[in-house]
Amino acid sequence: MEDSDYESVLCVKPEVHVYRIPPRATNRGYRAADWQLDQPSWSGRLRITAKGQMAYIKLEDKTSGELFAQASVEQFPSIAVESVTDSSRYFVIRIEDGSGRRAFIGIGFADRGDAFDFNVALQDHFKWVKQQCEFAKQAQNPTPGPQLDLSFKEGQTIKLNIANMKKKEGVAGNAKSRMSGSMGMTLLPPPPGGKASAQLPPTEEHLPVGVAQAQPGLVPSADAGLPWPQLNSTTAATADVWGDFAKAAGSTSGQAQQNSNWVQF
């Protein structure tokens, strides 16, 4: 079954009025002011359907849905549907029965929005019909689009500035070398004063005679991490300090025997 066998509904308006219209005297168009707008001939429901490329305007009873009149529309705008010249809410449609008889009647909407929807529904349908016809023509006669030609024409050349490329590469190389040089870490030599903490404490051979005699059983204990006084033979001040220490050691020998693990300075 083809798609044209299906009937689709485009628009439904619950209230529409039908008027008897006088014959058109001139070619200027119909005027709604010439109708008896306060005395409509019929009132009911309007429904627009589509079947294939054809559109149908159906006037139906509000309650039973019985068909009152129908207008076949092959294209829009056309003689089948015309707008009046003095209002946007009224139209003239051409109805026909099954025997081939035709007549023109006027229809009108109480709401201006309903009249707008009626007009737009017909416009959208026939715009779709026009697009379908164009697609069908293109399918029958396909026309290839313009092809992009990127080949060189005769005598056409291209110029490359290699000097700037080398210059950029040189700048990039210098930047990389500076970055690699800055990333490398160099260790400075330790300060001269730092070597003193790494030296071993002096033995009895290097201590003065008085200190060696005062502390015969001195063994490094938990406080052995304290810095030991270093003896410098070339400095007279250091020798004097150790001499005073030797004298003080002789006077406090009694305390040293009680607490042999501590040395008082």
Side-chain angles (χ1 to χ4, degrees), residues 197 199 201 220-228:
S197 60
Q199 293 181 358
S221 62
D223 297 331
L226 297 175
W228 287 75

Side-chain angles (χ1 to χ4, degrees), residues 21 33 53 62 65 95 118 145 149 160 169 174 200 202 207 213:
I21 61 175
Q53 297 183 359
K62 292 182 180 180
I95 60 175
F118 170 80
D149 186 11
L160 297 177
E169 291 178 357
N174 295 334
L200 296 175
L207 291 175
Q213 294 176 356

Side-chain angles (χ1 to χ4, degrees), residues 8-164:
S8 60
V9 178
L10 304 180
C11 179
V12 176
K13 292 302 171 184
E15 186 176 7
V16 65
H17 304 290
V18 175
Y19 303 93
R20 291 180 181 271
I21 61 175
R24 183 166 52 181
T26 62
N27 294 329
R28 281 188 259 180
Y30 294 97
R31 296 178 69 251
D34 299 336
W35 309 344
Q36 297 179 358
L37 300 178
D38 56 343
Q39 298 178 0
S41 300
W42 181 87
S43 296
R45 179 181 65 188
L46 179 141
R47 194 160 58 99
I48 303 176
T49 62
K51 191 174 182 181
Q53 297 183 359
M54 291 288 295
Y56 301 92
I57 302 173
K58 297 182 178 183
L59 303 176
E60 301 172 343
D61 186 77
K62 292 182 180 180
T63 306
S64 62
E66 182 182 358
L67 183 64
F68 172 74
Q70 174 177 295
S72 302
V73 184
E74 296 180 359
Q75 58 182 358
F76 181 78
S78 66
I79 193 174
V81 182
E82 296 184 50
S83 300
V84 297
T85 58
D86 58 345
S87 177
S88 61
R89 296 187 292 116
Y90 299 93
F91 302 86
V92 175
I93 62 174
R94 185 184 64 186
I95 60 175
E96 56 186 11
D97 58 5
S99 61
R101 294 183 302 176
R102 297 178 178 179
F104 291 92
I105 61 174
I107 61 173
F109 299 93
D111 188 3
R112 197 177 302 273
D114 293 342
F116 176 80
D117 295 341
F118 170 80
N119 199 11
V120 170
L122 293 173
Q123 289 180 358
D124 291 345
H125 171 71
F126 287 100
K127 186 184 296 184
W128 172 82
V129 171
K130 183 179 180 181
Q131 291 178 352
Q132 294 299 317
C133 294
E134 292 178 355
F135 293 155
K137 291 180 181 179
Q138 291 179 2
Q140 293 177 359
N141 301 319
T143 56
Q147 297 182 356
L148 185 61
D149 186 11
L150 299 178
S151 61
F152 285 99
K153 304 299 185 293
E154 185 178 357
Q156 187 178 3
T157 58
I158 186 172
K159 182 179 180 181
L160 297 177
N161 195 347
I162 302 177
N164 291 337

